[in-house]
Amino acid sequence: QVELVESGGGSVQAGGSLRLSCTASKNNDGATCKGWFRQAPGKAREMVATVYTNGRMPFVLGSVQGRFELSQDSAENTLYLHMTHLKPEDSAVYYCARGYGSNCVFNSWGQGTQVTVSS
């Protein structure tokens, strides 16, 4: 099973930017989707952004559209989440994940990285 390692979290003031990175231990593992999720204290985990390998349109959570953007390195081994104009409500633990199968079932997860945005 692929291992995913996130980095890039930290503390910033509102309006600031961060770039999260998720590096996989191996590529070409058959993943059909790669994405970022987040979970704030007392709240359910939510999907932030996902890219699909089958041509399906990428997903971006409505509340972060225009502020967050996904990208990958040329080898598609590292997935980035570029976060700008951060808000306190963006504070959460951010997880990257890979999914498999035609229905994109996420079952490979990173350990998470904390993002804290102060007002």
Side-chain angles (χ1 to χ4, degrees):
Q1 187 172 359
V2 66
E3 292 184 359
L4 304 175
V5 179
E6 301 105 332
S7 62
S11 297
V12 296
Q13 290 189 329
S17 301
L18 285 173
R19 187 186 74 168
L20 305 184
S21 301
C22 173
T23 300
S25 60
K26 60 181 178 180
N27 207 3
N28 299 317
D29 62 343
T32 55
C33 51
K34 305 172 186 177
W36 287 94
F37 293 73
R38 68 184 182 186
Q39 187 167 20
K43 295 187 177 181
R45 185 175 296 186
E46 62 181 353
M47 183 186 294
V48 176
T50 295
V51 60
Y52 300 90
T53 61
N54 59 3
R56 181 177 168 184
M57 289 294 291
F59 168 85
V60 179
L61 183 67
S63 61
V64 307
Q65 281 186 355
R67 300 189 297 120
F68 290 13
E69 184 177 353
L70 275 177
S71 68
Q72 299 187 78
D73 65 349
S74 58
E76 298 187 351
N77 199 46
T78 300
L79 183 70
Y80 300 102
L81 183 66
H82 305 264
M83 306 186 296
T84 63
H85 299 96
L86 283 161
K87 303 176 180 180
E89 52 263 42
D90 295 320
S91 297
V93 178
Y94 283 71
Y95 300 88
C96 69
R98 284 192 173 191
Y100 304 85
S102 59
N103 292 328
C104 175
V105 177
F106 285 97
N107 57 21
S108 291
W109 295 85
Q111 81 286 355
T113 185
Q114 177 71 47
V115 172
T116 303
V117 185
S118 58
S119 58

